[in-house]
Amino acid sequence: MMRVDVRLGLLLALGGLNCLKIDFPPADDPYWQCNEDHVCDADENQVACPSDCVWRDETGEGPAAAVCDAQENWTFVQACLGTCGNGQEDEDETAETCPRDFPGPGCGDGVCAPLEDPARCPTECHPGSCGDGTCELHENAAICAEDCTPGCGDGVCQADEEAACARDCLPCSSDSCVCGDMVCGTGESMMSCPQDCTEPFCGNGVVEEGEPCDDGNDVDTDACTNNCAMATCGDGIVWTGEEQCDNGPDNGLGKACNAMCEASTCGDSDVGPGETCDDGNADDTDDCVACQDASCGDGAVQAGVEQCDDGNDIDTDTCTNACEMAECGDGIVQEGVEECDDGNQVDGDGCFECLKPRRVIFVTSAVFPGNLGTINSIDLKCQMAAMDVKPENAASFKAWISSPDVWPAMRMDTTYLGMYVLVDGTPVAENGWADLTDGTLAHAVDLTEKGGNVDVAPWTNTKADGTAAGSNHCNFWTSDKGGNHGHYGSTTATDPTWTDAMGMAPCSAPFPIYCIEDP
């Protein structure tokens, strides 16, 4: 006796069986399912899922009784093992006793092909709509001879299929799809319908003589071109998903598209358009940087060649335009770091160790009437005051004052290139004599030799360029009489009036003098 697993209540509802087992869920238990896929699965029964689980007399007698058909399972058919329908080839099952667990050719594509076995492919071959006059995708002649001809689904629209086999007979507009009407229409070819088609036709979906392929569409960028040729690199058509580019005969080395239909890119080891080199690596320190020949100014430091490369044309920053680290003695004044750089280490030439020499300028704290004396005597007054500033070099200080026959530009060092500074180091003129005498000072000469800040009018009789200003010189700086006058400047000014205030004062007035270090 074959094993039948049923429960008594279920068996009574289904008409009873010869043998039964009473250790499984009742018919209304949630265990039982129903997915309505025309197959009686192991967890379905006739009560819970009558649409999938169907008893047929013709399958219960004779040889058919030994087969567990698609709409049968162990709950009501003796031939069905509990494992039949689980999609696996289990012990004691064969393709003859449980065909659904042994899928045949074509199973799984969702279409019931003409030669597909419904017993082995029950989910896609079933008579769900059999009798409606149309051979649906889930039907073939074996499952529904009423609707399907044996050839329906073979891709050829025969004369007796035009109405019932929509999958073979595509809708037509002007040409007929029916083989035998003497018109080579859509879907027909020399192979499928030689009576209608007498010569090859590219685009009919059939590979005919002289055609490597024919996919029947008008997409030129897929695997089969619109000329019925297999897509290949070099045909001038970019194959979607396979090629990045295809310029036909213009593919190759050094071109925008290489011989493998890959777009030229920096790093592919092929010198393409816009590139001067391509070494195939990402090393920016060799002689090829971003597919351009390495050069000073490209922003990448070339190993063994460049000390630095900041990618700019500023020669006064930390990396010079020669891609060398800025240093004292390179002849380039590094902004914010060096005051000068004459390219040598010679002292006394106006720049030493990239510092400019400094000469002090001040206004005396002492004041004097106009009888200052000779120019040399006036210089002595500066030298006495300079003992509070630079005693070691006090003798080099001279007065910034003019008489009709002697003036600063005549007797001072006009080639000096260093700095003139106040006693506290504040720059007055940063670039030598020329800067001091150009009419504009960096800072007013408002500190005395003792460091005191003053707002006074020193005796000068000197113009901004260092020459004599005129005849107001207290009679060669020998008179202290109120009837004589002297020319003066201003310690608060940075324009030419610092020395030439365009005014006169009686020689009896006590004024200070400017003193400048001038070795």
Side-chain angles (χ1 to χ4, degrees):
M1 180 183 300
M2 300 184 69
R3 177 173 153 253
V4 178
D5 294 348
V6 294
R7 197 170 172 81
L8 182 58
L10 177 59
L11 291 176
L12 293 176
L14 300 179
L17 290 170
N18 294 329
C19 297
L20 56 93
K21 188 175 181 180
I22 60 174
D23 59 350
F24 62 89
D28 58 354
D29 191 280
Y31 167 82
W32 302 108
Q33 303 295 316
C34 185
N35 58 19
E36 297 186 346
D37 64 351
H38 303 282
V39 177
C40 190
D41 299 317
D43 58 357
E44 296 176 341
N45 63 54
Q46 287 182 290
V47 175
C49 196
S51 60
D52 287 353
C53 298
V54 180
W55 169 266
R56 293 184 178 85
D57 291 339
E58 62 270 22
T59 64
E61 299 177 357
V67 179
C68 185
D69 294 314
Q71 291 194 294
E72 299 173 345
N73 75 2
W74 59 278
T75 64
F76 64 100
V77 174
Q78 293 182 355
C80 296
L81 297 177
T83 56
C84 186
N86 65 5
Q88 301 177 0
E89 300 177 9
D90 296 295
E91 188 177 359
D92 297 328
E93 289 181 355
T94 66
E96 289 72 29
T97 61
C98 185
R100 76 181 97 169
D101 283 353
F102 295 80
C107 286
D109 61 3
V111 177
C112 189
L115 299 179
E116 205 161 319
D117 184 355
R120 301 176 72 175
C121 304
T123 57
E124 56 194 35
C125 291
H126 58 81
S129 58
C130 187
D132 63 1
T134 300
C135 188
E136 305 292 352
L137 291 178
H138 61 80
E139 296 173 342
N140 64 12
I143 197 71
C144 186
E146 183 177 350
D147 293 344
C148 302
T149 63
C152 184
D154 62 3
V156 179
C157 183
Q158 301 296 338
D160 57 349
E161 295 179 339
E162 192 168 9
C165 191
R167 67 179 106 170
D168 287 350
C169 299
L170 302 176
C172 298
S173 54
S174 57
D175 294 338
S176 171
C177 298
V178 180
C179 182
D181 62 0
M182 305 309 294
V183 176
C184 187
T186 304
E188 297 179 340
S189 68
M190 293 178 66
M191 297 175 64
S192 64
C193 191
Q195 59 266 50
D196 290 353
C197 302
T198 59
E199 59 183 21
F201 174 65
C202 180
N204 60 9
V206 179
V207 178
E208 298 172 305
E209 184 179 355
E211 295 178 341
C213 63
D214 192 327
D215 54 11
N217 65 43
D218 59 359
V219 179
D220 206 22
T221 58
D222 58 10
C224 185
T225 71
N226 288 351
N227 292 324
C228 290
M230 297 299 295
T232 57
C233 181
D235 60 10
I237 302 169
V238 179
W239 185 0
T240 302
E242 298 292 333
E243 300 175 344
Q244 297 177 0
C245 57
D246 196 326
N247 294 329
D250 203 31
N251 292 346
L253 292 174
K255 303 296 182 66
C257 190
N258 66 25
M260 298 178 67
C261 288
E262 297 170 340
S264 175
T265 58
C266 181
D268 60 9
S269 299
D270 176 29
V271 181
E275 299 175 342
T276 59
C277 61
D278 194 324
D279 53 11
N281 65 49
D283 184 2
D284 279 349
T285 65
D286 57 12
D287 58 0
C288 185
V289 179
C291 292
Q292 301 297 319
D293 291 326
S295 61
C296 181
D298 60 14
V301 180
Q302 188 176 357
V305 177
E306 299 173 339
Q307 296 176 4
C308 59
D309 195 323
D310 54 11
N312 64 45
D313 58 358
I314 300 173
D315 206 23
T316 58
D317 57 11
T318 57
C319 185
T320 71
N321 289 350
C323 289
E324 298 172 345
M325 295 300 297
E327 61 180 359
C328 182
D330 60 12
I332 302 168
V333 179
Q334 187 179 354
E335 186 174 357
V337 177
E338 300 173 340
E339 295 176 357
C340 59
D341 196 323
D342 56 5
N344 64 53
Q345 295 297 331
V346 178
D347 195 4
D349 63 352
C351 185
F352 181 64
E353 295 182 347
C354 293
L355 295 174
K356 293 180 178 180
R358 279 142 169 84
R359 293 181 180 178
V360 176
I361 181 170
F362 62 85
V363 60
T364 61
S365 58
V367 293
F368 313 94
N371 60 341
L372 292 165
T374 65
I375 295 297
N376 287 338
S377 297
I378 303 173
D379 286 346
L380 285 174
K381 291 178 172 58
C382 282
Q383 293 164 12
M384 289 297 294
M387 291 298 293
D388 289 331
V389 182
K390 279 190 172 183
E392 76 283 359
N393 204 33
S396 68
F397 280 79
K398 297 175 182 176
W400 177 269
I401 199 166
S402 297
S403 64
D405 54 356
V406 180
W407 48 86
M410 176 188 293
R411 68 193 192 98
M412 290 186 180
D413 181 7
T414 59
T415 63
Y416 177 61
L417 300 175
M419 299 174 68
Y420 291 98
V421 299
L422 299 180
V423 295
D424 65 355
T426 301
V428 172
E430 297 184 358
N431 297 300
W433 176 267
D435 195 12
L436 179 68
T437 58
D438 65 1
T440 301
L441 300 182
H443 194 279
V445 185
D446 58 0
L447 293 186
T448 68
E449 77 279 7
K450 299 180 182 300
N453 186 274
V454 294
D455 179 2
V456 293
W459 295 116
T460 63
N461 190 37
T462 304
K463 293 191 291 186
D465 64 0
T467 60
S471 58
N472 294 302
H473 44 72
C474 292
N475 191 25
F476 291 86
W477 304 111
T478 62
S479 173
D480 59 356
K481 306 300 182 182
N484 291 323
H485 296 84
H487 206 107
Y488 59 84
S490 172
T491 61
T492 62
T494 56
D495 61 10
T497 61
W498 76 272
T499 181
D500 186 6
M502 304 291 183
M504 297 180 297
C507 294
S508 58
F511 285 168
I513 57 176
Y514 285 130
C515 300
I516 298 178
E517 184 180 4
D518 189 65

